[in-house]
Amino acid sequence: MAGPSRANTPGPVPAIRVLLADENPSRAGALSDTLRADSSLVVIAADPGMPLMDAVRHHTPDIVLVDMSRADRDALDSVRALSGAGLEHPVALFVDEDDQQLMEAAFEAGICSYNVVDTPPRDVKPLLRAAIALYARFQQTQNELQAARKTISDRQTIDQAKRLFMQNEGCGEGEAYRWFRKRAMETARRIPDIAAEYLSRHRKDDTR
Amino acid sequence: MSHPLRIGVLRLADSAPIVVARNAGLFERHGLSVDIAVSPSWANIADGLVWNGLDSALIFPPLAMMTALGRRGRKTGLRPVQAVSFGGNMIVLRGPARPGHDWTAGRAGHRSFRNWKADIGRTPRLAVVHAYSTHLLILTRFLSSIGISVQDDVQLKIMPPDRIIDALSAGSIDGFCAGPPWGEDAARQGLGFVVAGSAAICPGHVEKVLVLNDQAHIEAADLSRTLLAALHDAIALCVDPANADDIARQLAAPLAKGGLALPFAATRAIMPDASLPDAMVFKSRSWDHEALGWMVSDMQGLGWISPEDVVSLERLGWLTQEMAR
């Protein structure tokens, strides 16, 4: 088990055990680096591939920070509703009804936090804030990558469709492009979509 | 609205009306701009509705009602717009069915369960798709009809429907109750056998309803009307047998191509034109409060909601005054 156990922690305030459940290794690494700077925390990274419920049973954390896209989050979610979950202490989704902004930011960034219900209330918010900031940064990079990829593939689609159109209609590039632009304007759709449609329809014709 | 309407769905065949409406341009035709969010789990759908990630979703009534009541953090004015699908859930147990086994209510079913449990060799682990699901209510009813207690005789596991096949084949669960096409898929893959389904346990029950949150209501007064119109057209396409092949193909397409990456053969087999008892049923008709009666009473029986909660649900438009009394 990673980190010292609660009993060995010196001082009057026991350390808060935080379990990070994130299967994205670089994001999990960055978040655990950030949180480890706080000496009042024991940061435990959940073993990749281990079901969340097993990780909670094994590491007995006070707080669990969970990547929302993890499908087994629902299992943690239901501990209170179901018997036989096999957990000594029930856990519950952390919710701050008075801080709507924080909650919305967390869910938008794709992270949520579960607390062990029977332990004394602790302030989860600074932890959650740190996690939100990090997740949002990763999300932005991801979106930029996706946008870049989409732009490239859009351009390839338009080029292919134009070439096919020029071949089929025996016209020049300018006329081909104008045809796609006109169709896009008439149907209130994007040129890459019109181009993709043209490609799929005419390729189908070829195979007949 | 300042942004496209965000509708949450899961990878299920009964999400078809939303997927078809998008792919056939029906939302645009009714002047709506819609983004479909294919979500990893029901908790994500519920949290999305509460914390401004989604404006709308295709969801089963128990979780929608629990979410509206604030059991996921804060009360939201989540309202039903329309029931979209009916029935379609299947209960599947691991292994080949013993020949001649009878799973009907009473003693015969009880004996079959005991024998099956002996074959499994442990307390059966049965999965449902959420703690507050219609599937849990249906499974509870089925087990109790054969004298088996969901509390004491089985271990419940929670997982999103699209993870269930993997869990069954890996041996981490011994059976499940889930929506289409996962029961049919498990049977086709020889992982288990169907013991009962919606049709046998609660014939014609409301399965997925389209809900809209309060904020969306406030921002666009005639949103409900236009959404209903688009759904009506989509359901007409979904129930036309001539479209069954094409729609199953759309649902089987990868996410990036507008599909839900569902197994084609199983999906095709439970389209509305199929003669299976648990084939999907889509209907476009006005909201029928009474249809939720059994769910509300089972939810009370399981201690999920109190009589006061029932009154709140009436105020939010889920139930009629008579039902709340």
Side-chain angles (χ1 to χ4, degrees):
Chain A
M1 193 190 293
S5 78
R6 239 173 300 194
N8 298 338
T9 312
V13 185
I16 305 176
R17 296 171 63 79
V18 184
L19 178 68
L20 300 182
D22 186 348
E23 277 165 347
N24 175 337
S26 56
R27 192 173 56 187
L31 183 55
S32 87
D33 287 348
T34 308
L35 297 181
R36 281 202 174 108
D38 182 342
S39 61
S40 72
L41 303 177
V42 176
V43 182
I44 308 153
D47 313 313
M50 187 190 259
L52 197 45
M53 196 76 104
D54 294 346
V56 170
R57 209 174 290 137
H58 181 66
H59 295 293
T60 62
D62 302 301
I63 292 168
V64 194
L65 288 174
V66 185
D67 167 15
M68 275 177 64
S69 66
R70 275 188 76 126
D72 53 0
R73 152 169 119 89
D74 283 33
L76 208 54
D77 217 80
S78 57
V79 170
R80 275 206 295 190
L82 301 180
S83 57
L87 289 185
E88 204 179 321
H89 301 286
V91 294
L93 182 65
F94 166 78
V95 166
D96 187 333
E97 287 194 56
D98 299 325
D99 198 341
Q100 189 178 330
Q101 241 174 358
L102 176 81
M103 295 305 300
E104 290 185 358
F107 284 107
E108 198 189 333
I111 186 145
C112 60
S113 171
Y114 286 79
N115 291 7
V116 175
V117 176
D118 290 352
T119 54
R122 302 174 191 270
D123 199 5
V124 183
K125 287 166 77 167
L127 292 185
L128 197 52
R129 274 199 200 99
I132 291 168
L134 196 111
Y135 267 56
R137 213 158 61 230
F138 267 80
Q139 209 173 47
Q140 195 189 344
T141 318
Q142 199 62 32
N143 290 345
E144 280 163 6
L145 270 174
Q146 257 166 18
R149 250 183 238 133
K150 190 157 172 39
T151 311
I152 292 168
S153 97
D154 280 355
R155 203 175 306 142
Q156 283 170 344
T157 308
I158 295 171
D159 283 347
Q160 276 177 19
K162 261 193 322 198
R163 271 199 302 275
L164 189 62
F165 186 89
M166 285 153 64
Q167 211 177 356
N168 287 345
E169 308 293 325
C171 66
E173 193 174 348
E175 193 181 326
Y177 186 73
R178 278 193 295 279
W179 187 84
F180 284 108
R181 195 179 53 193
K182 185 161 167 283
R183 292 273 307 154
M185 279 163 59
E186 280 167 1
T187 55
R189 289 161 67 202
R190 296 167 60 245
I191 294 178
D193 295 340
I194 300 287
E197 193 181 270
Y198 182 86
L199 277 175
S200 78
R201 186 175 317 136
H202 287 265
R203 273 184 194 144
K204 232 186 273 169
D205 290 349
D206 288 347
T207 58
R208 249 176 224 163
Chain B
M1 290 180 91
S2 50
H3 59 76
L5 186 79
R6 299 159 302 180
I7 305 181
V9 298
L10 250 59
R11 287 183 53 218
L12 288 164
D14 57 16
S15 304
I18 301 291
V19 172
V20 166
R22 191 254 324 261
N23 292 356
L26 300 178
F27 290 126
E28 284 88 350
R29 192 181 299 165
H30 289 279
L32 284 167
S33 163
V34 167
D35 272 346
I36 298 184
V38 181
S39 304
S41 74
W42 286 114
N44 282 35
I45 296 260
D47 290 333
L49 289 166
V50 176
W51 303 108
N52 192 32
L54 295 171
D55 306 297
S56 173
L58 207 53
I59 187 174
F60 34 78
L63 179 57
M65 290 190 272
M66 295 303 273
T67 305
L69 287 169
R71 297 300 154 81
R72 295 200 68 81
R74 85 177 148 165
K75 288 189 188 182
T76 55
L78 208 58
R79 299 154 197 246
V81 177
Q82 191 189 25
V84 173
S85 67
F86 298 81
N89 300 312
M90 289 183 192
I91 300 177
V92 171
L93 299 179
R94 161 191 302 290
R98 277 199 187 181
H101 265 200
D102 180 352
W103 289 89
T104 48
R107 226 176 260 165
H110 189 81
R111 205 175 307 122
S112 296
F113 187 88
R114 290 282 166 212
N115 289 336
W116 171 74
K117 190 181 163 182
D119 289 347
I120 293 297
R122 63 178 179 195
T123 300
R125 300 173 189 177
L126 303 182
V128 289
V129 299
H130 193 272
Y132 295 137
S133 59
T134 309
H135 311 79
L136 178 55
L137 301 182
I138 287 177
L139 182 67
T140 304
R141 279 193 169 211
F142 170 69
L143 291 178
S144 98
S145 82
I146 57 170
I148 299 296
S149 156
V150 81
Q151 307 284 342
D152 308 328
D153 301 331
V154 302
Q155 203 183 96
L156 284 179
K157 296 272 172 192
I158 305 294
M159 61 186 65
D162 62 355
R163 297 298 176 104
I164 276 176
I165 293 291
D166 282 349
L168 191 62
S169 89
S172 55
I173 57 169
D174 305 309
F176 64 86
C177 179
W182 304 111
E184 177 66 19
D185 193 39
R188 278 173 177 261
Q189 291 194 37
L191 295 169
F193 56 100
V194 181
V195 285
S198 295
I201 302 160
C202 303
H205 73 82
V206 178
E207 178 48 33
K208 300 293 184 316
V209 293
L210 187 79
V211 298
L212 207 51
N213 71 16
D214 242 3
Q215 202 53 37
H217 263 295
I218 294 162
E219 285 180 26
D222 50 352
L223 196 56
S224 283
R225 195 180 49 76
T226 47
L227 251 183
L228 274 179
L231 262 183
H232 178 89
D233 293 356
I235 287 173
L237 292 178
C238 289
V239 298
D240 184 346
N243 297 328
D245 277 328
D246 176 50
I247 290 173
R249 247 193 305 274
Q250 287 186 44
L251 296 172
L255 295 185
K257 296 203 164 146
L260 296 175
L262 299 179
F264 173 78
T267 304
R268 179 64 191 88
I270 45 89
M271 287 297 289
D273 66 330
S275 56
L276 286 175
D278 289 303
M280 297 191 290
V281 175
F282 297 109
K283 262 184 265 180
S284 175
R285 68 175 185 208
S286 58
W287 180 247
D288 174 12
H289 299 84
E290 302 298 330
L292 292 186
W294 72 273
M295 288 187 194
V296 172
S297 94
D298 282 14
M299 288 165 74
Q300 278 188 278
L302 288 167
W304 296 358
I305 53 173
S306 66
E308 295 81 68
D309 290 332
V310 178
V311 175
S312 305
L313 287 171
E314 184 257 316
R315 220 173 292 133
L316 287 167
W318 284 90
L319 309 172
T320 61
Q321 227 165 2
E322 289 70 35
M323 293 170 75
R325 227 173 261 153

